Short mmCIF file of all heavy atoms in Angstrom, two decimals:
data_model
loop_
_atom_site.label_atom_id
_atom_site.label_comp_id
_atom_site.label_asym_id
_atom_site.label_seq_id
_atom_site.Cartn_x
_atom_site.Cartn_y
_atom_site.Cartn_z
N LEU A 1 153.11 72.08 130.07
CA LEU A 1 154.38 71.91 130.85
C LEU A 1 154.36 73.05 131.94
O LEU A 1 154.99 72.76 133.03
CB LEU A 1 155.48 71.95 129.93
CG LEU A 1 155.72 70.78 129.00
CD1 LEU A 1 156.78 71.06 128.08
CD2 LEU A 1 156.15 69.59 129.92
N GLN A 2 153.81 74.24 131.75
CA GLN A 2 153.93 75.13 132.77
C GLN A 2 152.99 74.82 134.04
O GLN A 2 153.42 75.04 135.06
CB GLN A 2 153.20 76.52 132.10
CG GLN A 2 154.23 77.19 131.15
CD GLN A 2 153.55 78.49 130.62
OE1 GLN A 2 152.48 78.77 130.83
NE2 GLN A 2 154.42 79.12 129.75
N LYS A 3 151.87 74.07 133.79
CA LYS A 3 151.13 73.47 134.83
C LYS A 3 151.84 72.45 135.61
O LYS A 3 151.78 72.42 136.84
CB LYS A 3 149.74 73.05 134.23
CG LYS A 3 148.86 74.08 133.74
CD LYS A 3 147.55 73.40 133.18
CE LYS A 3 146.57 74.56 132.62
NZ LYS A 3 145.34 74.02 132.11
N ILE A 4 152.46 71.56 134.84
CA ILE A 4 153.42 70.59 135.54
C ILE A 4 154.47 71.20 136.35
O ILE A 4 154.71 70.86 137.44
CB ILE A 4 153.87 69.65 134.48
CG1 ILE A 4 152.81 68.83 133.79
CG2 ILE A 4 154.93 68.73 135.15
CD1 ILE A 4 153.22 67.89 132.66
N SER A 5 155.09 72.40 135.78
CA SER A 5 156.10 72.90 136.42
C SER A 5 155.68 73.57 137.75
O SER A 5 156.35 73.48 138.80
CB SER A 5 156.78 73.98 135.50
OG SER A 5 157.69 74.68 136.22
N ALA A 6 154.52 74.25 137.72
CA ALA A 6 153.95 74.79 138.95
C ALA A 6 153.76 73.85 139.89
O ALA A 6 154.00 74.02 141.21
CB ALA A 6 152.66 75.47 138.58
N SER A 7 153.28 72.62 139.62
CA SER A 7 153.02 71.55 140.65
C SER A 7 154.31 71.01 141.20
O SER A 7 154.36 70.70 142.35
CB SER A 7 152.11 70.38 140.06
OG SER A 7 152.87 69.66 139.05
N LEU A 8 155.26 70.98 140.45
CA LEU A 8 156.60 70.41 140.82
C LEU A 8 157.28 71.43 141.76
O LEU A 8 157.84 71.11 142.80
CB LEU A 8 157.61 70.11 139.66
CG LEU A 8 157.12 68.87 138.75
CD1 LEU A 8 158.04 68.81 137.53
CD2 LEU A 8 157.16 67.66 139.53
N ALA A 9 157.02 72.65 141.35
CA ALA A 9 157.64 73.83 142.31
C ALA A 9 156.89 73.82 143.59
O ALA A 9 157.67 74.09 144.64
CB ALA A 9 157.47 75.10 141.56
N TYR A 10 155.64 73.43 143.66
CA TYR A 10 154.91 73.50 144.85
C TYR A 10 155.52 72.34 145.82
O TYR A 10 155.54 72.60 147.09
CB TYR A 10 153.44 73.22 144.66
CG TYR A 10 152.60 73.14 145.90
CD1 TYR A 10 152.09 74.45 146.38
CD2 TYR A 10 152.21 71.92 146.44
CE1 TYR A 10 151.29 74.33 147.43
CE2 TYR A 10 151.49 71.93 147.55
CZ TYR A 10 150.99 73.08 148.04
OH TYR A 10 150.05 73.17 149.24
N ASP A 11 156.04 71.28 145.25
CA ASP A 11 156.62 70.19 146.03
C ASP A 11 158.22 70.42 146.28
O ASP A 11 158.78 69.52 146.63
CB ASP A 11 156.41 68.84 145.29
CG ASP A 11 154.95 68.35 145.53
OD1 ASP A 11 154.31 68.86 146.54
OD2 ASP A 11 154.65 67.48 144.83
N PHE A 12 158.59 71.58 145.83
CA PHE A 12 160.07 71.88 145.94
C PHE A 12 160.92 70.99 145.16
O PHE A 12 161.93 70.56 145.76
CB PHE A 12 160.37 72.07 147.43
CG PHE A 12 159.70 73.05 148.26
CD1 PHE A 12 158.58 72.57 148.96
CD2 PHE A 12 160.00 74.39 148.20
CE1 PHE A 12 157.89 73.46 149.81
CE2 PHE A 12 159.16 75.33 148.81
CZ PHE A 12 158.16 74.80 149.68
N ILE A 13 160.49 70.47 144.14
CA ILE A 13 161.35 69.62 143.25
C ILE A 13 162.06 70.42 142.27
O ILE A 13 161.65 71.18 141.46
CB ILE A 13 160.45 68.61 142.58
CG1 ILE A 13 159.77 67.68 143.56
CG2 ILE A 13 161.29 67.88 141.58
CD1 ILE A 13 158.60 66.76 143.04
N ARG A 14 163.44 70.36 142.25
CA ARG A 14 164.28 71.00 141.18
C ARG A 14 163.95 70.39 139.87
O ARG A 14 164.04 69.14 139.68
CB ARG A 14 165.72 70.78 141.70
CG ARG A 14 166.15 71.45 142.89
CD ARG A 14 167.72 71.31 143.11
NE ARG A 14 167.98 69.92 143.27
CZ ARG A 14 168.89 69.20 142.55
NH1 ARG A 14 169.44 69.80 141.44
NH2 ARG A 14 169.17 67.98 142.75
N HIS A 15 163.61 71.15 138.93
CA HIS A 15 163.17 70.62 137.58
C HIS A 15 163.45 71.58 136.50
O HIS A 15 163.57 72.81 136.72
CB HIS A 15 161.71 70.28 137.70
CG HIS A 15 160.81 71.48 137.83
ND1 HIS A 15 160.62 72.14 139.01
CD2 HIS A 15 160.05 72.15 136.86
CE1 HIS A 15 159.77 73.14 138.92
NE2 HIS A 15 159.43 73.21 137.57
N SER A 16 163.20 71.04 135.29
CA SER A 16 163.22 71.84 134.05
C SER A 16 162.27 71.23 133.19
O SER A 16 162.02 70.08 133.17
CB SER A 16 164.72 71.89 133.33
OG SER A 16 165.66 72.43 134.26
N THR A 17 161.61 71.97 132.26
CA THR A 17 160.79 71.64 131.26
C THR A 17 161.41 71.80 129.81
O THR A 17 161.96 72.74 129.66
CB THR A 17 159.36 72.12 131.31
OG1 THR A 17 159.40 73.49 131.24
CG2 THR A 17 158.77 71.89 132.73
N ILE A 18 161.29 70.95 128.95
CA ILE A 18 161.79 70.96 127.65
C ILE A 18 160.85 70.47 126.58
O ILE A 18 160.22 69.42 126.72
CB ILE A 18 163.11 70.03 127.56
CG1 ILE A 18 164.10 70.42 128.59
CG2 ILE A 18 163.74 70.11 126.34
CD1 ILE A 18 165.33 69.47 128.72
N VAL A 19 160.62 71.35 125.54
CA VAL A 19 159.91 70.98 124.34
C VAL A 19 160.77 70.86 123.21
O VAL A 19 161.52 71.89 122.99
CB VAL A 19 158.80 71.98 124.21
CG1 VAL A 19 157.85 71.59 122.93
CG2 VAL A 19 157.87 72.12 125.38
N ARG A 20 160.74 69.84 122.49
CA ARG A 20 161.65 69.66 121.21
C ARG A 20 160.71 69.19 120.18
O ARG A 20 159.57 68.63 120.35
CB ARG A 20 162.71 68.78 121.48
CG ARG A 20 163.75 69.17 122.46
CD ARG A 20 164.66 70.31 121.82
NE ARG A 20 165.77 70.50 122.69
CZ ARG A 20 165.90 71.42 123.62
NH1 ARG A 20 164.75 72.14 123.90
NH2 ARG A 20 166.91 71.64 124.23
N HIS A 21 161.15 69.43 118.92
CA HIS A 21 160.53 68.95 117.71
C HIS A 21 161.39 68.14 116.94
O HIS A 21 162.69 68.62 116.64
CB HIS A 21 159.92 70.10 116.78
CG HIS A 21 159.52 69.69 115.47
ND1 HIS A 21 160.25 69.81 114.32
CD2 HIS A 21 158.26 69.13 115.11
CE1 HIS A 21 159.59 69.39 113.41
NE2 HIS A 21 158.41 68.97 113.78
N GLY A 22 161.19 66.84 116.60
CA GLY A 22 161.90 65.99 115.77
C GLY A 22 161.73 64.59 116.10
O GLY A 22 160.61 64.20 116.72
N ASP A 23 162.63 63.78 115.61
CA ASP A 23 162.55 62.35 115.92
C ASP A 23 162.62 62.01 117.39
O ASP A 23 163.51 62.37 118.10
CB ASP A 23 163.65 61.57 115.18
CG ASP A 23 163.57 60.01 115.37
OD1 ASP A 23 162.86 59.34 114.64
OD2 ASP A 23 164.27 59.55 116.35
N ILE A 24 161.57 61.23 117.81
CA ILE A 24 161.36 61.10 119.28
C ILE A 24 162.66 60.37 119.91
O ILE A 24 163.14 60.75 120.82
CB ILE A 24 160.06 60.35 119.64
CG1 ILE A 24 158.85 61.32 119.19
CG2 ILE A 24 160.03 59.94 121.16
CD1 ILE A 24 157.45 60.61 119.48
N ARG A 25 162.84 59.23 119.20
CA ARG A 25 164.08 58.47 119.74
C ARG A 25 165.29 59.17 119.74
O ARG A 25 166.08 59.23 120.88
CB ARG A 25 164.20 57.13 119.04
CG ARG A 25 165.32 56.26 119.44
CD ARG A 25 165.60 55.07 118.47
NE ARG A 25 166.93 54.45 118.80
CZ ARG A 25 167.96 54.82 118.43
NH1 ARG A 25 168.09 55.90 117.63
NH2 ARG A 25 169.07 54.01 118.70
N GLU A 26 165.67 59.82 118.58
CA GLU A 26 166.98 60.45 118.61
C GLU A 26 167.01 61.66 119.53
O GLU A 26 168.06 61.96 120.21
CB GLU A 26 167.22 60.96 117.21
CG GLU A 26 167.46 59.70 116.20
CD GLU A 26 168.60 58.90 116.58
OE1 GLU A 26 169.64 59.53 117.01
OE2 GLU A 26 168.56 57.78 116.29
N THR A 27 165.84 62.30 119.68
CA THR A 27 165.75 63.60 120.56
C THR A 27 165.98 63.21 122.00
O THR A 27 166.81 63.84 122.76
CB THR A 27 164.52 64.40 120.32
OG1 THR A 27 164.44 64.72 118.97
CG2 THR A 27 164.55 65.62 121.18
N ILE A 28 165.21 62.27 122.44
CA ILE A 28 165.35 61.74 123.80
C ILE A 28 166.72 61.21 124.06
O ILE A 28 167.32 61.41 125.18
CB ILE A 28 164.36 60.64 124.11
CG1 ILE A 28 162.90 61.19 124.04
CG2 ILE A 28 164.52 60.06 125.55
CD1 ILE A 28 162.51 62.22 125.00
N LEU A 29 167.21 60.44 123.12
CA LEU A 29 168.63 59.72 123.22
C LEU A 29 169.70 60.90 123.52
O LEU A 29 170.47 60.81 124.35
CB LEU A 29 168.96 58.93 122.13
CG LEU A 29 170.36 58.19 122.13
CD1 LEU A 29 170.55 57.42 123.40
CD2 LEU A 29 170.57 57.38 120.91
N ARG A 30 169.56 61.94 122.81
CA ARG A 30 170.50 63.06 122.66
C ARG A 30 170.44 63.76 124.15
O ARG A 30 171.44 64.10 124.76
CB ARG A 30 170.34 64.02 121.59
CG ARG A 30 171.34 65.05 121.38
CD ARG A 30 171.05 66.06 120.31
NE ARG A 30 170.69 65.28 119.04
CZ ARG A 30 169.43 65.38 118.48
NH1 ARG A 30 168.48 65.99 119.03
NH2 ARG A 30 169.22 64.67 117.45
N LEU A 31 169.21 64.06 124.53
CA LEU A 31 169.09 64.67 125.90
C LEU A 31 169.50 63.69 126.96
O LEU A 31 170.15 64.40 127.91
CB LEU A 31 167.60 65.01 126.06
CG LEU A 31 167.04 66.25 125.11
CD1 LEU A 31 165.47 66.22 125.31
CD2 LEU A 31 167.62 67.47 125.68
N VAL A 32 169.37 62.49 126.94
CA VAL A 32 169.75 61.60 128.01
C VAL A 32 171.39 61.68 128.10
O VAL A 32 171.92 61.76 129.23
CB VAL A 32 169.23 60.11 127.64
CG1 VAL A 32 170.04 59.14 128.50
CG2 VAL A 32 167.80 60.04 127.98
N ARG A 33 171.98 61.66 127.03
CA ARG A 33 173.33 61.74 126.97
C ARG A 33 173.93 63.07 127.33
O ARG A 33 174.82 63.20 128.17
CB ARG A 33 173.98 61.40 125.53
CG ARG A 33 173.87 59.80 125.26
CD ARG A 33 174.16 59.51 123.85
NE ARG A 33 174.21 58.07 123.57
CZ ARG A 33 174.19 57.55 122.39
NH1 ARG A 33 174.09 58.25 121.25
NH2 ARG A 33 174.17 56.26 122.26
N ASP A 34 173.44 64.07 126.83
CA ASP A 34 173.92 65.44 127.10
C ASP A 34 173.69 65.86 128.53
O ASP A 34 174.47 66.54 129.18
CB ASP A 34 173.18 66.50 126.20
CG ASP A 34 173.49 66.40 124.70
OD1 ASP A 34 174.53 65.69 124.50
OD2 ASP A 34 172.93 66.95 123.87
N ARG A 35 172.55 65.44 128.99
CA ARG A 35 172.23 65.84 130.55
C ARG A 35 172.64 64.76 131.52
O ARG A 35 172.32 64.95 132.72
CB ARG A 35 170.58 66.10 130.66
CG ARG A 35 170.10 67.11 129.64
CD ARG A 35 170.76 68.44 129.86
NE ARG A 35 170.22 69.46 128.81
CZ ARG A 35 169.11 70.25 129.09
NH1 ARG A 35 168.49 70.16 130.24
NH2 ARG A 35 168.80 71.07 128.06
N GLN A 36 173.20 63.70 130.97
CA GLN A 36 173.79 62.73 131.92
C GLN A 36 172.68 62.04 132.81
O GLN A 36 172.88 62.13 133.98
CB GLN A 36 174.97 63.30 132.75
CG GLN A 36 176.15 63.69 131.82
CD GLN A 36 177.36 64.14 132.73
OE1 GLN A 36 177.16 64.92 133.70
NE2 GLN A 36 178.55 63.64 132.47
#
């Protein structure tokens, strides 16, 4: 993710990287709702 972040920063893209551990569906769904 750090390598991806560096490439996105090179293109001046506003971004964040997130690593989570848990149920994939529930974790993604929670992030989608929380981050709108």
Side-chain angles (χ1 to χ4, degrees):
L1 286 174
Q2 285 176 2
K3 293 180 180 179
I4 292 174
S5 178
S7 68
L8 294 173
Y10 182 82
D11 283 340
F12 302 101
I13 296 173
R14 294 181 299 118
H15 67 281
S16 300
T17 59
I18 302 172
V19 182
R20 291 286 189 272
H21 170 257
D23 180 82
I24 295 176
R25 175 188 173 278
E26 292 301 325
T27 303
I28 296 295
L29 180 58
R30 189 181 310 114
L31 286 169
V32 165
R33 288 174 173 164
D34 291 348
R35 304 299 178 93
Q36 298 181 318

